[in-house]
């Protein structure tokens, strides 16, 4: 059992190691512009592109993401005839924004799958060190941690008999936000201890276990993103 788990971890590491984290960061910047100025065709191509990228890391996550997008699309379709209601209109707008910028959320999820040491090594490669690099790394590594804490809160709500509802947004917000704030305060202490123990504040030359380099896969992905950006700009001008 140990050998099999170790083999799976090595395969996962090698797969993520083939794609430079800086490529994901560059794609996030490119797709931010594409989704803002692009048309529906560019949006669909962007969505297919990022889903294909996510599938390289996890087929299971890709399937869950597709199911989530289909559910959001279905809710938008069901709520559209009832936009006269203020509450339904607000929920409709929120879901529409989530669906519109779904490619960015997916890229953020891909970037959060890298280890913190891998992300820091990538930022050091381009001269982004210190507070900026650490801040960006902590932000993206904090995304899966928030997901774990939300599951814990959800389980706690079930035990205590509380139920979340999209038709009671204020109460639902309170049920999730208040315990999440306390959990985040506790996590911040753990992060501080982790940063100090890893010697981030050391002023000497630092090395990394991860070899960060640009590969053919990175070049192809960036070219694909730039082509989509060029197509979006071409439609405008």
């Amino acid at each position: 059992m140990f050998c099999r788990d170790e083999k799976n971890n090595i395969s996962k590491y090698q797969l993520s190691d083939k794609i430079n984290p800086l490529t994901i960061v560059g794609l996030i910047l490119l797709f931010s512009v594409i989704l803002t100025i692009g048309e529906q065709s560019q949006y669909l191509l962007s969505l297919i592109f990022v889903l294909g990228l996510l599938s390289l890391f996890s087929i299971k996550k890709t399937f869950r993401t597709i199911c989530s997008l289909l559910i959001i699309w279905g809710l938008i379709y069901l709520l559209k005839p009832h936009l006269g209601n203020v509450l339904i209109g607000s929920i409709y707008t929120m879901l529409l924004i989530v669906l519109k910028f779904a490619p960015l959320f997916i890229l953020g999820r891909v970037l959060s799958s890298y280890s913190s040491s891998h992300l820091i090594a990538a930022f050091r490669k381009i001269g982004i060190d210190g507070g900026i690099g650490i801040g960006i790394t902590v932000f993206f590594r904090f995304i899966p941690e928030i997901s774990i804490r939300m599951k814990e809160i959800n389980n706690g709500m079930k035990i205590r008999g509380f139920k979340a509802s999209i038709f009671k947004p204020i109460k639902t917000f309170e049920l999730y936000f208040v315990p999440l704030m306390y959990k985040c305060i506790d996590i911040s202490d753990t992060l501080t201890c982790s940063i100090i123990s890893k010697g981030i504040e050391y002023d000497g030359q630092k090395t990394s276990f991860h070899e960060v380099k640009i590969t053919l896969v990175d070049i192809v992905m960036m070219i694909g993103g730039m082509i989509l950006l060029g197509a979006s700009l071409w439609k405008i001008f």
Side-chain angles (χ1 to χ4, degrees):
M1 180 64 70
F2 174 76
C3 294
R4 182 170 57 190
D5 293 339
E6 185 178 4
K7 183 178 180 180
N8 291 336
N9 291 333
I10 292 174
S11 298
K12 183 178 180 181
Y13 163 73
Q14 289 177 344
L15 180 59
S16 63
D17 201 45
K18 293 178 181 178
I19 302 175
N20 195 322
L22 297 177
T23 301
I24 310 299
V25 176
L27 290 175
I28 290 176
L29 297 176
L30 290 176
F31 282 114
S32 298
V33 180
I34 294 170
L35 297 175
T36 303
I37 65 175
E39 297 181 351
Q40 186 174 5
S41 58
Q42 282 82 41
Y43 167 78
L44 293 175
L45 290 174
S46 301
L47 187 59
I48 294 172
F49 185 96
V50 297
L51 286 174
L53 176 59
L54 181 61
S55 66
L56 296 177
F57 289 81
S58 175
I59 299 295
K60 188 176 181 180
K61 287 183 179 180
T62 306
F63 178 75
R64 288 180 177 178
T65 302
I66 293 174
C67 291
S68 300
L69 292 174
L70 291 175
I71 291 173
I72 294 173
W73 180 84
L75 289 174
I76 290 174
Y77 180 79
L78 292 174
L79 294 176
K80 192 172 183 179
H82 308 284
L83 294 180
N85 186 286
V86 177
L87 177 60
I88 293 178
S90 301
I91 296 173
Y92 174 85
T93 304
M94 180 183 66
L95 293 175
L96 201 62
I97 293 173
V98 171
L99 189 64
K100 173 69 174 179
F101 293 99
L104 294 181
F105 299 143
I106 296 172
L107 287 174
R109 190 171 187 179
V110 171
L111 192 60
S112 66
S113 65
Y114 289 90
S115 65
S116 56
S117 58
H118 200 167
L119 290 173
I120 291 177
F123 288 123
R124 282 176 181 161
K125 194 74 172 180
I126 58 174
I128 300 178
D129 202 353
I132 298 177
I134 295 172
I136 297 174
T137 300
V138 170
F139 172 77
F140 282 103
R141 288 299 301 155
F142 201 66
I143 294 175
E145 190 68 26
I146 289 293
S147 177
I148 294 172
R149 302 305 173 185
M150 291 292 285
K151 290 180 181 178
E152 293 177 355
I153 294 171
N154 193 39
N155 292 332
M157 287 169 53
K158 290 180 180 179
I159 294 174
R160 292 169 175 81
F162 295 110
K163 293 183 179 180
S165 174
I166 60 174
F167 299 103
K168 296 180 180 179
I170 297 177
K171 182 179 179 181
T172 302
F173 178 77
E174 291 176 352
L175 290 174
Y176 279 103
F177 183 75
V178 175
L180 184 61
M181 286 298 297
Y182 282 100
K183 288 181 179 292
C184 288
I185 293 173
D186 182 60
I187 294 171
S188 64
D189 294 333
T190 305
L191 285 174
T192 302
C193 295
S194 177
I195 289 173
I196 295 174
S197 63
K198 290 181 179 180
I200 298 296
E201 297 177 337
Y202 178 63
D203 295 330
Q205 185 178 1
K206 301 179 178 67
T207 59
S208 176
F209 174 76
H210 301 276
E211 183 180 357
V212 181
K213 58 183 179 180
I214 302 297
T215 63
L216 180 61
V217 178
D218 297 312
I219 296 174
V220 171
M221 287 185 175
M222 289 302 297
I223 291 176
M226 293 178 69
I227 290 175
L228 287 173
L229 177 61
S232 302
L233 294 173
W234 179 266
K235 292 288 183 179
I236 295 178
F237 300 104

